[in-house]
Amino acid sequence: MRLVSTGVRVRRAAEASEPESEETTEPVHHEHSHAHEHHEHSHTEHHPGHDYNHMKEKFMNELSHLSLPMWAVGAIVVLVLVLVGCFIFCVFKKCFAKKKKPKKVRERKAGRRRKAQEGEGEPGEKEGEVKKEGAEEEKEQEKLGKLEYSLDYNFTDAQLIVGILQAQDLAAMDMGGTSDPYVKVFLLPDKKKKYETKVQRKNLCPVFNETFIFKIPYAELGGKTLVLQVFDFDRFSKHDMIGEIKIPMNSVDLGQPMQQWKDLESGEKEEQEKLGDICISLRYVPTAGKLTVNIMEAKNLKKMDVGGLSDPYVKIVLQQNGKRIKKKKTTVKKNTLNPYFNESFSFDVPFEQIQKVQVVLMVFDYDKLGSNDPIGGTFMGYGATGVGLRHWSDMLANPRRPVAQWHTLLPEDEVEAATKAKPR
């Protein structure tokens, strides 16, 4: 009985305790749900920071699982950033350029309108501008310098005597502020005979005192024009013209000698006249001291005769220190501008002298009645430059072998001046 009563008591106590526990557990559950709601609320309040931290942690976890090393990952990131930057720059440049184009077009149109308006200006303004330009040109011409010359005519011997005395205040043509002047003297329109003075080194007020004689009948003199051209000598390039004086002989009274100063005028830059080309073969045997020059052929020679042809021959001169050692010449080829010679000439030149000699070639037009007129020439050896120097060097580098080379003919005066000039 005691056991039964005890069991009943326990059961009642358990039943009584169940609602209490329910009551106690309900507020806890409520509190838990309230805390959960509070946590969710706080989560919604701190959402951006939480997302960033969450993404960062996730990214770092993913990186730790990758098999690539950290430096490779960094390189990939940098490359992606560079590509993105380039893309943005290209897009920006394109947009900027498109905006700028119409502006340039508008500026061009505006410039054209301004020019058109200026062109419709008063004629008096234009005349003033032309006068100013003319005055500036005159000033430039004055800066070229002036030349003193003399003229006389010998009626007994039918000779025109031209004196080149001196020059003053010549234009500086060289880098150092000086010039190396000389004067060319010839008659137009034939230009058959040309003279030139000696070169005066580094002198803007040179004294020449040189006289030149042209043999010409007085009756023919009236149709001629005397030309005095002042040049600046240049060893390695074409000589520059400083200025010139043209004197129509029909305007000069040659009854008595005359002497006067005249301002130099700017000369027209004429293209160098083509005189032709000549093919030469050189051969040197050092042991025998024998130099062989073969005149092979020439082409496109200048027309010297009335019929439009020439009677060419070649003169070969071996010289040293300006003195002629030996001279020879080919046969005359009649009525041709493309003669074929194939003639050889030998000279004795010891090995110790081969670097000191010059071989000068001059092509002439043969004339039965008058003097033979030079067409053009060239030279090789001591003091030569360009093709002449290269040909001579090739000959020395290939002893006992003939070396052929084409040479362009130069005017006689230029060849003479080049052979006399001291190499630098």
Side-chain angles (χ1 to χ4, degrees):
M1 286 293 288
R2 285 178 182 175
L3 289 170
V4 171
S5 62
T6 307
V8 171
R9 285 175 188 171
V10 170
R11 197 180 297 155
R12 285 177 183 173
E15 286 174 0
S17 63
E18 277 178 8
E20 285 179 6
S21 63
E22 283 176 4
E23 287 176 5
T24 55
T25 53
E26 276 181 7
V28 169
H29 179 71
H30 180 69
E31 285 176 7
H32 178 70
S33 63
H34 182 70
H36 182 68
E37 285 175 6
H38 179 72
H39 177 69
E40 283 181 354
H41 182 68
S42 65
H43 179 70
T44 53
E45 284 180 0
H46 300 82
H47 180 67
H50 178 73
D51 283 351
Y52 174 74
N53 292 329
H54 180 68
M55 286 173 68
K56 187 177 176 183
E57 287 174 6
K58 192 174 181 181
F59 179 71
M60 294 304 293
N61 288 332
E62 291 291 335
L63 282 179
S64 62
H65 289 298
L66 287 173
S67 59
L68 290 172
M70 288 301 292
W71 62 267
V73 175
I76 291 167
V77 171
V78 170
L79 184 63
V80 170
L81 290 174
V82 168
L83 290 173
V84 171
C86 289
F87 177 75
I88 293 167
F89 176 75
C90 291
V91 171
F92 175 77
K93 196 175 180 183
K94 269 193 174 183
C95 296
F96 188 72
K98 282 180 182 177
K99 288 177 184 176
K100 217 169 182 179
K101 272 186 181 178
K103 194 177 179 182
K104 284 186 178 178
V105 171
R106 284 197 296 271
E107 283 175 2
R108 284 174 192 163
K109 287 181 180 177
R112 285 172 191 166
R113 285 172 193 163
R114 282 175 202 160
K115 283 181 182 177
Q117 287 172 359
E118 286 173 4
E120 293 171 0
E122 295 180 5
E125 291 177 4
K126 287 185 179 180
E127 287 175 6
E129 287 176 4
V130 170
K131 285 179 183 177
K132 284 179 183 178
E133 287 176 2
E136 286 175 3
E137 285 178 5
E138 285 177 5
K139 284 180 182 178
E140 285 180 4
Q141 287 178 357
E142 287 173 6
K143 291 177 183 178
L144 299 175
K146 54 184 180 178
L147 181 69
E148 186 182 19
Y149 63 94
S150 65
L151 291 175
D152 194 10
Y153 190 78
N154 186 334
F155 288 90
T156 307
D157 300 326
Q159 292 177 341
L160 175 67
I161 303 162
V162 182
I164 305 299
L165 306 178
Q166 60 180 324
Q168 277 190 3
D169 305 324
L170 294 179
M173 306 295 283
D174 296 339
M175 295 286 286
T178 62
S179 292
D180 302 324
Y182 69 94
V183 184
K184 282 185 182 180
V185 184
F186 58 92
L187 287 168
L188 288 176
D190 47 14
K191 287 188 183 180
K192 278 190 176 179
K193 196 127 189 174
K194 279 188 178 182
Y195 295 105
E196 64 180 47
T197 66
K198 293 177 181 176
V199 178
Q200 302 294 321
R201 297 282 181 182
K202 296 182 181 179
N203 198 338
L204 298 180
C205 298
V207 176
F208 298 101
N209 286 331
E210 296 186 42
T211 304
F212 306 102
I213 297 172
F214 294 90
K215 193 161 186 177
I216 181 170
Y218 185 76
E220 297 178 11
L221 198 57
K224 307 291 182 183
T225 300
L226 179 66
V227 182
L228 312 176
Q229 293 180 332
V230 183
F231 281 84
D232 171 47
F233 177 83
D234 196 321
R235 180 71 181 82
F236 298 102
S237 63
K238 190 178 179 182
H239 304 170
D240 298 316
M241 186 191 291
I242 298 174
E244 68 177 7
I245 297 170
K246 289 184 177 179
I247 307 160
M249 296 311 296
N250 58 8
S251 66
V252 179
D253 181 13
L254 293 172
Q256 57 185 3
M258 62 166 289
Q259 181 176 325
Q260 69 173 16
W261 284 93
K262 206 164 187 180
D263 290 329
L264 294 173
E265 297 176 356
S266 58
E268 295 178 1
K269 292 184 178 179
E270 299 177 359
E271 289 185 8
Q272 189 166 332
E273 192 177 15
K274 292 181 179 179
L275 305 175
D277 302 281
I278 188 168
C279 186
I280 309 152
S281 173
L282 297 177
R283 179 174 179 263
Y284 183 66
V285 182
T287 53
K290 189 177 181 181
L291 172 66
T292 304
V293 180
N294 187 311
I295 308 300
M296 300 176 74
E297 60 179 313
K299 64 180 181 181
N300 304 323
L301 294 180
K302 181 185 174 184
K303 300 170 185 177
M304 302 295 285
D305 296 340
V306 179
L309 295 171
S310 296
D311 302 322
Y313 70 94
V314 184
K315 185 188 284 186
I316 306 103
V317 177
L318 180 72
Q319 63 184 33
Q320 184 177 351
N321 298 327
K323 294 179 181 179
R324 292 183 180 180
I325 300 170
K326 208 167 187 179
K327 62 178 181 178
K328 297 183 180 183
K329 62 181 180 179
T330 66
T331 56
V332 178
K333 303 298 178 182
K334 295 285 186 179
N335 300 323
T336 179
L337 300 178
N338 300 285
Y340 180 77
F341 297 101
N342 196 25
E343 298 180 34
S344 295
F345 306 92
S346 295
F347 301 92
D348 293 325
V349 183
F351 181 71
E352 58 272 11
Q353 298 294 324
I354 193 65
Q355 296 280 17
K356 301 175 184 178
V357 298
Q358 295 171 326
V359 176
V360 184
L361 306 174
M362 191 62 59
V363 182
F364 285 86
D365 173 47
Y366 176 76
D367 197 334
K368 283 183 180 179
L369 302 175
S371 59
N372 301 329
D373 299 318
I375 297 174
T378 185
F379 85 102
M380 296 140 286
Y382 179 76
T385 58
V387 178
L389 175 61
R390 187 168 67 248
H391 194 184
W392 195 257
S393 301
D394 289 346
M395 176 198 72
L396 295 176
N398 297 277
R400 294 179 293 278
R401 289 183 183 179
V403 180
Q405 177 71 54
W406 280 97
H407 293 254
T408 301
L409 297 177
L410 301 173
E412 182 187 27
D413 51 2
E414 287 189 21
V415 175
E416 287 181 5
T419 54
K420 290 174 185 175
K422 292 181 180 179
R424 292 178 185 178

